[in-house]
């Protein structure tokens, strides 16, 4: 009934068979993302094909959901994954496993900002001026005693990340092919370390939401649609790198307690380098 509150919404029905709130939302977003991608892929197909895909997916989803309800099937992650949970708990008990990814992310992000800013062949003057101003803003904020998570500090870090990723990809000092493997390995390591740090670190200071899931899917969608051209591939690579660095920077900022830290020092150093290289 569209005009009366019920528990018949797919979200409630998924929760009724054992999924939690976030799990249900992710499933719904996944189905919706499939429809969005289908709309782009099938834009030149006949109405019959589009309707068949739409009705086929809807039929499959509600058939599986109805069967699960009638069979009284419930997702019981604890009993189904008990052995895996025990393995994970033993791994989490290892201090090196818990602290290692945290230290790795904390070291690699500022190192990338500084290193990549040195590997830029040329810095446009407008980028240099903005970078210098942002370095002054961040330094002034720290000198004035602003907390690490202040809006202006976050903004400066995000812009610095975007600048460095863009300039390193657009004006590389070393031919792209020479460092392509190392560059890919670096971002895979950062991404894996960040995922482990978020998932297994004991401090609950950062939480991945369904919106983050949508952002990742959007990046993958852009990559799929931009495939086939060198420019499209370059844009996709820059987007993926930027997203990884944004999440890594945000996770680090959420954990910061001291104003003078490696992330902010690396950010200021990278911005000053970009500013000086544009002006010299």
């Amino acid at each position: 009934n569209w005009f009366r509150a019920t528990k018949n919404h797919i979200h409630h029905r998924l929760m009724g068979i054992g999924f939690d709130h976030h799990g249900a939302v992710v499933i719904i977003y996944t189905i919706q993302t499939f429809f969005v991608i289908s709309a782009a892929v099938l834009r030149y197909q006949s109405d019959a094909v589009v309707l068949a895909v739409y009705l086929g997916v809807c039929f499959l989803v509600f058939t599986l959901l109805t069967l699960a309800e009638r069979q009284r099937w419930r997702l019981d992650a604890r009993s189904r994954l008990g052995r895996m949970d025990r393995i994970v708990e033993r791994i989490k008990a290892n201090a090196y496993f818990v602290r290692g990814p945290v230290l790795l992310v904390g070291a690699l992000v500022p190192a990338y900002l500084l290193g990549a800013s040195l590997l830029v062949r040329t810095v446009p003057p407008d980028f240099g001026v903005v970078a210098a101003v942002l370095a002054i803003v961040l330094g002034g904020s720290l000198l004035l005693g602003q907390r690490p998570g202040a809006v202006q500090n976050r903004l400066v870090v995000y812009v610095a990340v975007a600048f460095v990723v863009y300039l390193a990809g657009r004006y590389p000092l070393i031919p792209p092919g020479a460092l392509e493997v190392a560059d890919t390995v670096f971002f895979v390591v950062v991404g894996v370390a960040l995922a482990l740090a978020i998932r297994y670190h004991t401090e609950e200071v950062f939480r991945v939401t369904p919106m983050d899931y949508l952002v990742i899917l959007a990046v993958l969608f852009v990559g799929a649609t931009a495939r086939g051209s060198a420019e499209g591939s370059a844009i996709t690579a820059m987007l993926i790198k930027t997203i990884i660095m944004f999440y890594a920077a945000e996770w680090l900022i959420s954990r910061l307690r001291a104003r003078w830290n490696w992330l902010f020092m690396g950010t200021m150093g990278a911005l000053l380098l970009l500013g000086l290289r544009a002006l010299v």
Side-chain angles (χ1 to χ4, degrees):
N1 190 324
W2 291 5
F3 306 101
R4 183 167 56 87
T6 68
K7 294 289 186 180
N8 289 332
H9 190 277
I10 187 172
H11 175 269
H12 295 295
R13 295 177 67 179
L14 286 169
M15 293 182 68
I17 60 174
F19 291 94
D20 61 11
H21 168 72
H22 287 88
V25 171
V26 165
I27 291 173
I28 294 170
Y29 281 3
T30 302
I31 298 169
Q32 180 63 17
T33 300
F34 175 81
F35 282 139
V36 172
I37 294 175
S38 297
V41 173
L42 303 176
R43 60 188 179 275
Y44 299 121
Q45 298 297 323
S46 66
D47 291 346
V49 172
V50 174
L51 188 61
V53 171
Y54 174 73
L55 293 178
V57 173
C58 290
F59 177 79
L60 180 63
V61 169
F62 285 100
T63 298
L64 292 176
L65 189 56
T66 302
L67 285 175
E69 291 170 336
R70 291 185 177 180
Q71 296 294 326
R72 300 185 182 278
W73 180 87
R74 282 186 60 84
L75 177 69
D76 189 353
R78 182 168 300 180
S79 62
R80 293 167 66 86
L81 301 177
R83 182 177 301 176
M84 181 61 67
D85 286 342
R86 288 192 294 271
I87 295 174
V88 170
E89 288 302 322
R90 283 198 294 269
I91 294 175
K92 288 176 64 177
N94 188 316
Y96 293 103
F97 180 83
V98 176
R99 294 291 301 170
V102 176
L103 296 175
L104 198 59
V105 174
L108 291 180
V109 172
Y112 173 79
L113 292 174
L114 287 170
S117 61
L118 289 172
L119 295 176
V120 175
R121 185 179 72 254
T122 181
V123 180
D126 51 348
F127 276 83
V129 172
V130 175
V133 171
L134 289 176
I136 294 172
V137 169
L138 181 57
S141 175
L142 298 180
L143 289 173
L144 291 174
Q146 295 292 323
R147 59 187 179 84
V151 174
Q152 66 272 15
N153 295 343
R154 276 187 158 89
L155 181 61
V156 171
V157 172
Y158 292 155
V159 175
V161 167
F163 274 17
V164 171
V165 172
Y166 172 77
L167 293 173
R170 190 76 173 82
Y171 307 105
L173 181 63
I174 302 174
L179 291 177
E180 186 174 355
V181 174
D183 189 61
T184 301
V185 170
F186 175 85
F187 279 97
V188 168
V189 169
V190 173
V192 171
L194 178 63
L196 291 174
I198 293 172
R199 176 62 181 85
Y200 295 116
H201 198 266
T202 54
E203 297 179 16
E204 295 291 337
V205 295
F206 186 88
R207 186 173 185 175
V208 177
T209 67
M211 181 56 68
D212 304 318
Y213 177 77
L214 282 183
V215 170
I216 295 170
L217 285 176
V219 172
L220 295 177
F221 177 68
V222 170
T225 55
R227 192 173 48 183
S229 67
E231 187 68 21
S233 299
I235 292 174
T236 302
M238 284 191 285
L239 274 173
I240 294 173
K241 293 175 185 178
T242 304
I243 292 296
I244 292 174
M245 294 299 290
F246 274 176
Y247 276 110
E250 175 60 27
W251 185 77
L252 289 173
I253 292 172
S254 70
R255 291 175 40 80
L256 293 177
R257 297 295 178 267
R259 287 180 291 123
W260 301 97
N261 54 76
W262 287 112
L263 176 62
F264 288 166
M265 295 302 98
T267 300
M268 274 199 297
L271 291 171
L272 288 173
L273 280 171
L274 295 178
L276 289 173
R277 295 192 60 191
L279 299 174
V280 173

